[in-house]
Amino acid sequence: MSNKVALARTDDRAELERFREIQRLCYQCADEVAATLEPGVTEREACRRMRRWLRAHGVDDWLHTPFAWFGDRTAFRGFKVPTQFLPSAARLAEGMPYILDMAPVKKGYSADIGYGGVLGENRVWEQLDTDLAAYRTLILELVRERRTFADIYAEVDALIERQGYDNRHRKYPGRVIGHQVGIIGGMLPKGVGFPFGVRFLQTIGRELVKERLAGRSPLWNGAKQSQHPPTPGLWAVEPHIGFRGVGVKFEELLVVTEDDAYWLDDDLPHVHRWAARKAMA
Amino acid sequence: MTDQNISAAVRTRRVRGDGVDLAVYEQGDPARPTVLLMHGYPDTHAVWDEVAAELAGRYHVVRYDVRGAGASSRPFGRKRYTFDYLMADMRAVLDATAPERKVHLVGHDWGSIQSWEAACTMGERFASFTSISGPCLDHVARLTRENLRRPTPRNVKHSVGQGLRSWYIYFFQTPLLPEVMWRAGLTAPFTRALELGEGVRPREGHPARTMPRDGAAGVGLYRANMLQRMRKPRDRRTDVPTQVIVPTKDLFVSPHLVAGLGDRVPTLSLRPIAAGHWVVRSHPEVIARWIGEHITGVTGGPLTAAESRALRRARVAPERRPFEGSLVVVTGAGSGIGRATALAFAERGAEVVAADLDLPSAQRTAELAGLLGPAAHAFQVDVSDAAAMEDFAKAVLHDLGVPDVVVNNAGIGMAGPFLGHSVEDWRRVLDVNLWGVIHGSRLFAAQMVERGQGGHIVNTASAAAFTPQRTLPAYATSKAAVLMLSECLRAELRGKGIGVSAICPGIVNTNITRTSRFVGLSDDEQRQHQHRASRAYALRNFGPEGVAKQIVAAVQKDKAVVPVTPEAHLSYLTARLSPRVMRLLARFDVG
């Protein structure tokens, strides 16, 4: 793929449909793997299940191999070095929150999702998850207003502080709340990744340089590089909030066009869960 | 006679014990639950007069002079004072005054030691037990052995502490001399010591006129039982719901003797009180209230919110959180250090009252606190408004009871040159930062003193309190005043069991930088300064949770002044070692 081709063409309905398909596939995988989680299962085992499931459904490469975090690792407590993000031998227990995070590539089309849940009952998780809904609305609104990415990041931080939570996406590499995704290609071998796929690294590296020249960044954080209005394209947005030993996130694809923005898909588990909760209240 | 007279009137009778005549005193309606009050040495039943009068309205109160004391007979020879005889006496009194029913047992000093024996050997006769300043001898013996077997510095300290407190016990083992001294007029110095040491003034009945004889005969209690039980401790346990009232300033019984009691008494509550050994004389209302609460709790009677919280607070349980059953009031709880503090207390089991000028943020704090601990409460209050604070304190008292911890945290920031501060600026800073603390301390300290059970007041000062800075004249002045106020208050309230701590955080990343006023600047410059300060504070990256943790520790360890961040510690140290350096540094404009 040449440098002239955008990572994802947001005006091409057929192409967006392909992205929607792979995102749905991810959520289907998350739903099915989450249903198999039982007390005692380790993060590594959960990741293995996700990997096998996705491979069996035609996935041929990764932005990154699947992650799973259990218990207070969902809030990245005590994380000091990057290796701590990798799947560990932590075991799931009753009442524990968990997060599944996967970013597969299928025939070049990629998605990146985050899926939060809890095994049994957890009041803190319920509250966090309820409050997480506000971020989906807020981010979309601000992107539509074409506020700069850095500004939006600060607004998200302000909301986190009002709610009394901790910003946990600041623990991600580059403190990102989001990053661009698209069609992944290149000459490097497919399917190699620990945890990041080599083709993804190649693409993101290329984009970093390319976007830098345009005064933008494919990574969305609160720093100077993100002081620009939303770049048209596909963005995986992943607000991650934490309170004490519980962390919750969602991650899904946001379509940004020249003058508008919308979530690629509203038919997602967390969207339905929030709607159901709102209807109950 | 009216009902009141019946309950107040003391009815005297004599009951035949094991070879002795016992003088028994009854008050209150005999149809009500019976409370048996056991006096200690060298007292008589009269030591309980105030407590008995308080209880008589609700209970059938029974007291008696133990053999050798007051109007009961005085058998000769130490053999007549062993536990067997004492227990036989108690059974005789119970049979005479409250046959066929369980009574609520309360003991002080030797009365409590006897009561432990009774609760452990004939527990079926008691519905509840309150022990005051008198341990189970067998338990003490075992604890001492365990401490000596594992002589850690702490264990040694505790053992030595009790060893020193027990000087009179060794003395009482001396033949004849104690008796001679009591007869020769030890009463007068004893009475004087009681007044000086414990603040207990003599009154009719206590110390009793019979004290020379009581003191002389009562040494039999020590000689007949102490060594025997120390040498061969028995395995003593009781299922009777027990509360132990622990006077922390007791000169004779160490508060540490309750260690490990939970293993032997499954239903155990501990209630510390900053008082001396004769707490039944110095704090009769508190003792009567606690006895009443314990009995009501055990019998499943109706309790107010404050009472049931007090019982939860006292209860000993393995998974108990340290502030279980405590009521904690935090001002400025809507954000920053206030919110973090409210949450830290909630996480440790406290019921939190979150007060803030901004009600939604206080409600949010209460909501989060409710996730970590018991349901919390939100109040809107402007701490600088005296009337509003008064209403707030009243509302808390009325709805929830007296708080155990009050954190006067609300504050605002202000920076700029002295001449840039207007009178209004000064007023604003002092109103919130100083007057807010004064109102909070004044109103809630009054409640704590009135209740008589101690408490803790935490005032959020600042490292600026001892760090002069040319750009912070108003802010640093207000905080220095808070620090001094806390120190003065601490000195005064110490005797009431109320601790006062001043917290001096230093550079902590909260929204105070974003809301601080930088005087003498245009709005734009103002925003720039706020942004710059926020950035610097964010880079420093010390979160309010760290301060909250220190506040909790300050309450637990009753610390006076707590610098929190390393720079606050450094500043505190430098200010003491070399104020000159601080003066030099003060000249740099860091605003």
Short mmCIF file of all heavy atoms in Angstrom, two decimals, chain A residues 122-128 131 158-166 170 222 243-245, chain B residues 334-336 339-340 343-344 347 361 364 367-373 510-511 514 541 545:
data_model
loop_
_atom_site.label_atom_id
_atom_site.label_comp_id
_atom_site.label_asym_id
_atom_site.label_seq_id
_atom_site.Cartn_x
_atom_site.Cartn_y
_atom_site.Cartn_z
N ASN A 122 -20.67 -6.93 41.81
CA ASN A 122 -19.67 -6.00 42.34
C ASN A 122 -20.24 -4.60 42.23
O ASN A 122 -20.41 -4.06 41.14
CB ASN A 122 -18.37 -6.12 41.55
CG ASN A 122 -17.25 -5.31 42.15
OD1 ASN A 122 -17.47 -4.20 42.64
ND2 ASN A 122 -16.04 -5.84 42.12
N ARG A 123 -20.57 -4.00 43.39
CA ARG A 123 -21.24 -2.70 43.41
C ARG A 123 -20.40 -1.61 42.77
O ARG A 123 -20.88 -0.74 42.07
CB ARG A 123 -21.57 -2.29 44.84
CG ARG A 123 -22.76 -3.02 45.42
CD ARG A 123 -22.88 -2.70 46.89
NE ARG A 123 -23.15 -1.29 47.12
CZ ARG A 123 -22.71 -0.60 48.15
NH1 ARG A 123 -21.94 -1.17 49.04
NH2 ARG A 123 -23.00 0.68 48.31
N VAL A 124 -19.09 -1.66 43.06
CA VAL A 124 -18.21 -0.63 42.53
C VAL A 124 -18.18 -0.72 41.00
O VAL A 124 -18.26 0.28 40.29
CB VAL A 124 -16.79 -0.77 43.11
CG1 VAL A 124 -15.85 0.24 42.49
CG2 VAL A 124 -16.81 -0.62 44.62
N TRP A 125 -18.11 -1.94 40.50
CA TRP A 125 -18.08 -2.12 39.06
C TRP A 125 -19.36 -1.59 38.42
O TRP A 125 -19.33 -0.90 37.41
CB TRP A 125 -17.89 -3.60 38.70
CG TRP A 125 -17.72 -3.79 37.23
CD1 TRP A 125 -16.55 -3.73 36.53
CD2 TRP A 125 -18.76 -4.03 36.26
NE1 TRP A 125 -16.80 -3.91 35.19
CE2 TRP A 125 -18.14 -4.10 35.00
CE3 TRP A 125 -20.13 -4.18 36.36
CZ2 TRP A 125 -18.86 -4.32 33.83
CZ3 TRP A 125 -20.85 -4.40 35.19
CH2 TRP A 125 -20.22 -4.47 33.94
N GLU A 126 -20.51 -1.90 39.04
CA GLU A 126 -21.80 -1.43 38.51
C GLU A 126 -21.81 0.09 38.37
O GLU A 126 -22.21 0.63 37.35
CB GLU A 126 -22.94 -1.84 39.46
CG GLU A 126 -23.30 -3.31 39.42
CD GLU A 126 -23.99 -3.72 38.13
OE1 GLU A 126 -24.71 -2.88 37.56
OE2 GLU A 126 -23.79 -4.87 37.70
N GLN A 127 -21.33 0.76 39.44
CA GLN A 127 -21.33 2.22 39.43
C GLN A 127 -20.40 2.75 38.35
O GLN A 127 -20.76 3.64 37.58
CB GLN A 127 -20.89 2.72 40.82
CG GLN A 127 -20.92 4.22 40.96
CD GLN A 127 -22.34 4.77 40.96
OE1 GLN A 127 -23.21 4.26 41.66
NE2 GLN A 127 -22.59 5.79 40.16
N LEU A 128 -19.20 2.19 38.28
CA LEU A 128 -18.22 2.64 37.28
C LEU A 128 -18.78 2.44 35.87
O LEU A 128 -18.68 3.32 35.03
CB LEU A 128 -16.94 1.82 37.42
CG LEU A 128 -15.84 2.38 38.31
CD1 LEU A 128 -14.85 1.28 38.62
CD2 LEU A 128 -15.12 3.52 37.63
N ASP A 131 -21.36 4.94 35.01
CA ASP A 131 -20.79 6.26 34.75
C ASP A 131 -19.98 6.29 33.46
O ASP A 131 -19.77 7.36 32.88
CB ASP A 131 -19.90 6.68 35.93
CG ASP A 131 -20.71 6.89 37.20
OD1 ASP A 131 -21.90 7.24 37.06
OD2 ASP A 131 -20.18 6.71 38.30
N ALA A 158 -11.39 16.09 33.12
CA ALA A 158 -12.21 16.88 34.05
C ALA A 158 -13.43 16.07 34.50
O ALA A 158 -13.80 16.10 35.68
CB ALA A 158 -12.65 18.18 33.38
N LEU A 159 -14.02 15.35 33.56
CA LEU A 159 -15.18 14.53 33.92
C LEU A 159 -14.76 13.41 34.89
O LEU A 159 -15.46 13.12 35.87
CB LEU A 159 -15.83 13.93 32.66
CG LEU A 159 -17.03 13.01 32.92
CD1 LEU A 159 -18.13 13.72 33.69
CD2 LEU A 159 -17.59 12.45 31.61
N ILE A 160 -13.61 12.82 34.60
CA ILE A 160 -13.11 11.77 35.50
C ILE A 160 -12.95 12.33 36.91
O ILE A 160 -13.34 11.71 37.90
CB ILE A 160 -11.77 11.20 34.98
CG1 ILE A 160 -11.98 10.45 33.68
CG2 ILE A 160 -11.14 10.28 36.02
CD1 ILE A 160 -10.69 9.95 33.04
N GLU A 161 -12.41 13.54 36.98
CA GLU A 161 -12.17 14.12 38.31
C GLU A 161 -13.50 14.44 39.01
O GLU A 161 -13.65 14.19 40.20
CB GLU A 161 -11.32 15.38 38.18
CG GLU A 161 -10.93 15.90 39.55
CD GLU A 161 -9.97 17.07 39.47
OE1 GLU A 161 -8.98 16.97 38.72
OE2 GLU A 161 -10.23 18.07 40.15
N ARG A 162 -14.46 14.99 38.23
CA ARG A 162 -15.77 15.28 38.84
C ARG A 162 -16.39 13.99 39.37
O ARG A 162 -16.99 13.97 40.44
CB ARG A 162 -16.70 15.91 37.80
CG ARG A 162 -16.53 17.40 37.64
CD ARG A 162 -17.77 18.04 37.03
NE ARG A 162 -18.13 17.49 35.73
CZ ARG A 162 -17.51 17.78 34.59
NH1 ARG A 162 -16.48 18.59 34.58
NH2 ARG A 162 -17.92 17.25 33.45
N GLN A 163 -16.25 12.93 38.61
CA GLN A 163 -16.84 11.67 39.04
C GLN A 163 -16.06 11.04 40.19
O GLN A 163 -16.52 10.10 40.82
CB GLN A 163 -16.90 10.69 37.87
CG GLN A 163 -17.90 11.10 36.79
CD GLN A 163 -18.03 10.05 35.70
OE1 GLN A 163 -17.14 9.22 35.52
NE2 GLN A 163 -19.12 10.10 34.97
N GLY A 164 -14.86 11.54 40.44
CA GLY A 164 -14.06 11.01 41.55
C GLY A 164 -13.29 9.74 41.20
O GLY A 164 -12.96 8.96 42.09
N TYR A 165 -13.02 9.54 39.93
CA TYR A 165 -12.29 8.35 39.50
C TYR A 165 -10.86 8.70 39.09
O TYR A 165 -10.46 9.85 39.13
CB TYR A 165 -13.01 7.68 38.31
CG TYR A 165 -14.39 7.18 38.64
CD1 TYR A 165 -15.43 7.27 37.72
CD2 TYR A 165 -14.68 6.62 39.89
CE1 TYR A 165 -16.70 6.81 38.01
CE2 TYR A 165 -15.95 6.16 40.19
CZ TYR A 165 -16.95 6.26 39.25
OH TYR A 165 -18.20 5.79 39.55
N ASP A 166 -10.12 7.67 38.68
CA ASP A 166 -8.77 7.89 38.16
C ASP A 166 -8.78 7.65 36.66
O ASP A 166 -9.44 6.74 36.17
CB ASP A 166 -7.77 6.88 38.77
CG ASP A 166 -7.75 6.93 40.26
OD1 ASP A 166 -7.93 8.04 40.79
OD2 ASP A 166 -7.59 5.88 40.89
N ARG A 170 -4.17 6.82 30.91
CA ARG A 170 -2.85 7.47 30.94
C ARG A 170 -1.73 6.46 31.18
O ARG A 170 -0.56 6.77 31.04
CB ARG A 170 -2.81 8.56 32.00
CG ARG A 170 -3.16 8.06 33.37
CD ARG A 170 -3.08 9.18 34.36
NE ARG A 170 -1.71 9.40 34.76
CZ ARG A 170 -1.34 9.85 35.96
NH1 ARG A 170 -2.26 10.17 36.83
NH2 ARG A 170 -0.07 10.00 36.27
N GLY A 222 -3.06 13.82 25.54
CA GLY A 222 -3.26 15.20 25.98
C GLY A 222 -2.08 16.10 25.66
O GLY A 222 -2.06 17.25 26.10
N PHE A 243 -11.46 3.02 39.87
CA PHE A 243 -11.77 3.45 41.24
C PHE A 243 -11.32 2.33 42.16
O PHE A 243 -11.80 1.20 42.03
CB PHE A 243 -13.26 3.72 41.38
CG PHE A 243 -13.66 4.26 42.72
CD1 PHE A 243 -13.14 5.47 43.18
CD2 PHE A 243 -14.56 3.59 43.54
CE1 PHE A 243 -13.50 5.98 44.42
CE2 PHE A 243 -14.92 4.09 44.78
CZ PHE A 243 -14.39 5.29 45.21
N ARG A 244 -10.38 2.66 43.05
CA ARG A 244 -9.81 1.63 43.90
C ARG A 244 -9.35 0.44 43.05
O ARG A 244 -8.71 0.64 42.05
CB ARG A 244 -10.81 1.21 44.99
CG ARG A 244 -11.21 2.35 45.92
CD ARG A 244 -9.97 2.99 46.50
NE ARG A 244 -10.19 3.78 47.69
CZ ARG A 244 -10.13 5.11 47.74
NH1 ARG A 244 -9.91 5.81 46.65
NH2 ARG A 244 -10.27 5.75 48.88
N GLY A 245 -9.80 -0.76 43.37
CA GLY A 245 -9.31 -1.93 42.65
C GLY A 245 -10.13 -2.33 41.44
O GLY A 245 -10.06 -3.47 40.99
N GLY B 334 -15.99 17.89 48.53
CA GLY B 334 -16.42 17.69 47.15
C GLY B 334 -15.29 17.42 46.18
O GLY B 334 -15.51 16.99 45.05
N SER B 335 -14.06 17.67 46.61
CA SER B 335 -12.95 17.47 45.68
C SER B 335 -11.65 17.33 46.46
O SER B 335 -11.62 17.48 47.68
CB SER B 335 -12.84 18.68 44.73
OG SER B 335 -12.63 19.85 45.49
N GLY B 336 -10.60 17.06 45.73
CA GLY B 336 -9.23 17.09 46.27
C GLY B 336 -9.03 16.27 47.54
O GLY B 336 -9.50 15.14 47.65
N ARG B 339 -12.26 15.05 49.40
CA ARG B 339 -12.92 13.85 48.85
C ARG B 339 -12.08 12.61 49.15
O ARG B 339 -12.61 11.59 49.59
CB ARG B 339 -13.12 14.02 47.35
CG ARG B 339 -13.73 12.79 46.72
CD ARG B 339 -14.00 12.98 45.24
NE ARG B 339 -15.32 13.57 45.00
CZ ARG B 339 -15.78 13.88 43.79
NH1 ARG B 339 -15.04 13.67 42.73
NH2 ARG B 339 -16.98 14.40 43.65
N ALA B 340 -10.79 12.71 48.92
CA ALA B 340 -9.92 11.55 49.16
C ALA B 340 -9.99 11.12 50.62
O ALA B 340 -9.99 9.93 50.94
CB ALA B 340 -8.48 11.89 48.76
N LEU B 343 -13.26 9.36 51.37
CA LEU B 343 -13.24 8.00 50.83
C LEU B 343 -12.32 7.09 51.65
O LEU B 343 -12.63 5.92 51.87
CB LEU B 343 -12.78 8.02 49.36
CG LEU B 343 -13.71 8.77 48.40
CD1 LEU B 343 -13.19 8.66 46.97
CD2 LEU B 343 -15.12 8.23 48.48
N ALA B 344 -11.20 7.64 52.10
CA ALA B 344 -10.27 6.82 52.89
C ALA B 344 -10.94 6.36 54.19
O ALA B 344 -10.78 5.22 54.61
CB ALA B 344 -9.00 7.62 53.19
N GLU B 347 -13.63 3.77 53.36
CA GLU B 347 -12.99 2.49 53.03
C GLU B 347 -12.61 1.74 54.30
O GLU B 347 -12.55 0.52 54.31
CB GLU B 347 -11.72 2.79 52.23
CG GLU B 347 -11.25 1.67 51.37
CD GLU B 347 -10.22 2.17 50.38
OE1 GLU B 347 -9.54 3.18 50.67
OE2 GLU B 347 -10.10 1.55 49.32
N SER B 361 -21.13 18.03 44.13
CA SER B 361 -19.85 17.36 44.33
C SER B 361 -19.81 16.63 45.67
O SER B 361 -19.24 15.55 45.80
CB SER B 361 -18.68 18.33 44.19
OG SER B 361 -18.68 19.24 45.26
N ARG B 364 -21.73 13.52 45.22
CA ARG B 364 -20.93 12.54 44.49
C ARG B 364 -19.96 11.83 45.45
O ARG B 364 -19.79 10.62 45.41
CB ARG B 364 -20.17 13.25 43.37
CG ARG B 364 -19.30 12.34 42.56
CD ARG B 364 -20.13 11.35 41.77
NE ARG B 364 -19.26 10.34 41.17
CZ ARG B 364 -19.68 9.27 40.52
NH1 ARG B 364 -20.97 9.06 40.38
NH2 ARG B 364 -18.85 8.42 40.03
N GLU B 367 -21.80 9.42 47.45
CA GLU B 367 -22.17 8.26 46.63
C GLU B 367 -20.99 7.28 46.55
O GLU B 367 -21.13 6.07 46.75
CB GLU B 367 -22.55 8.75 45.24
CG GLU B 367 -23.24 7.74 44.37
CD GLU B 367 -23.64 8.35 43.02
OE1 GLU B 367 -23.25 9.50 42.73
OE2 GLU B 367 -24.32 7.67 42.27
N LEU B 368 -19.80 7.84 46.29
CA LEU B 368 -18.60 7.00 46.19
C LEU B 368 -18.26 6.38 47.55
O LEU B 368 -17.89 5.20 47.64
CB LEU B 368 -17.40 7.82 45.70
CG LEU B 368 -17.49 8.34 44.26
CD1 LEU B 368 -16.31 9.24 43.96
CD2 LEU B 368 -17.55 7.19 43.27
N ALA B 369 -18.41 7.19 48.61
CA ALA B 369 -18.12 6.67 49.96
C ALA B 369 -19.05 5.49 50.27
O ALA B 369 -18.64 4.52 50.89
CB ALA B 369 -18.29 7.78 50.99
N GLY B 370 -20.30 5.62 49.80
CA GLY B 370 -21.27 4.55 50.03
C GLY B 370 -20.87 3.25 49.34
O GLY B 370 -21.29 2.17 49.76
N LEU B 371 -20.08 3.36 48.28
CA LEU B 371 -19.62 2.15 47.59
C LEU B 371 -18.55 1.42 48.41
O LEU B 371 -18.38 0.21 48.32
CB LEU B 371 -19.00 2.51 46.24
CG LEU B 371 -19.95 2.95 45.13
CD1 LEU B 371 -19.14 3.35 43.92
CD2 LEU B 371 -20.92 1.84 44.78
N LEU B 372 -17.81 2.21 49.19
CA LEU B 372 -16.67 1.62 49.92
C LEU B 372 -17.04 1.26 51.35
O LEU B 372 -16.44 0.38 51.95
CB LEU B 372 -15.51 2.62 49.95
CG LEU B 372 -15.00 3.07 48.59
CD1 LEU B 372 -13.99 4.20 48.76
CD2 LEU B 372 -14.37 1.91 47.86
N GLY B 373 -18.01 2.00 51.91
CA GLY B 373 -18.35 1.77 53.31
C GLY B 373 -19.85 1.94 53.51
O GLY B 373 -20.62 1.80 52.56
N THR B 510 -4.27 18.93 43.36
CA THR B 510 -5.73 18.98 43.49
C THR B 510 -6.23 20.18 42.70
O THR B 510 -5.44 20.94 42.14
CB THR B 510 -6.17 19.16 44.95
OG1 THR B 510 -5.84 20.48 45.37
CG2 THR B 510 -5.51 18.16 45.86
N ASN B 511 -7.56 20.36 42.71
CA ASN B 511 -8.09 21.46 41.92
C ASN B 511 -7.93 22.81 42.59
O ASN B 511 -8.39 23.81 42.07
CB ASN B 511 -9.57 21.19 41.58
CG ASN B 511 -10.42 21.20 42.83
OD1 ASN B 511 -9.89 21.18 43.95
ND2 ASN B 511 -11.73 21.25 42.66
N ARG B 514 -6.43 25.28 40.34
CA ARG B 514 -7.28 25.79 39.25
C ARG B 514 -8.29 26.80 39.77
O ARG B 514 -8.84 27.57 39.00
CB ARG B 514 -8.00 24.62 38.57
CG ARG B 514 -7.06 23.78 37.72
CD ARG B 514 -7.79 22.79 36.88
NE ARG B 514 -8.23 21.60 37.60
CZ ARG B 514 -7.39 20.68 38.10
NH1 ARG B 514 -6.08 20.83 37.97
NH2 ARG B 514 -7.85 19.63 38.74
N ASN B 541 3.01 15.59 40.92
CA ASN B 541 2.32 14.31 40.92
C ASN B 541 2.23 13.63 42.28
O ASN B 541 2.50 12.45 42.42
CB ASN B 541 3.01 13.37 39.90
CG ASN B 541 2.10 12.22 39.54
OD1 ASN B 541 0.89 12.31 39.71
ND2 ASN B 541 2.69 11.14 39.06
N GLU B 545 -4.73 11.27 47.60
CA GLU B 545 -4.89 10.01 48.34
C GLU B 545 -3.77 9.84 49.37
O GLU B 545 -3.99 9.29 50.45
CB GLU B 545 -4.88 8.80 47.39
CG GLU B 545 -6.08 8.70 46.47
CD GLU B 545 -6.00 9.66 45.28
OE1 GLU B 545 -4.87 10.13 44.98
OE2 GLU B 545 -7.04 9.96 44.69
#
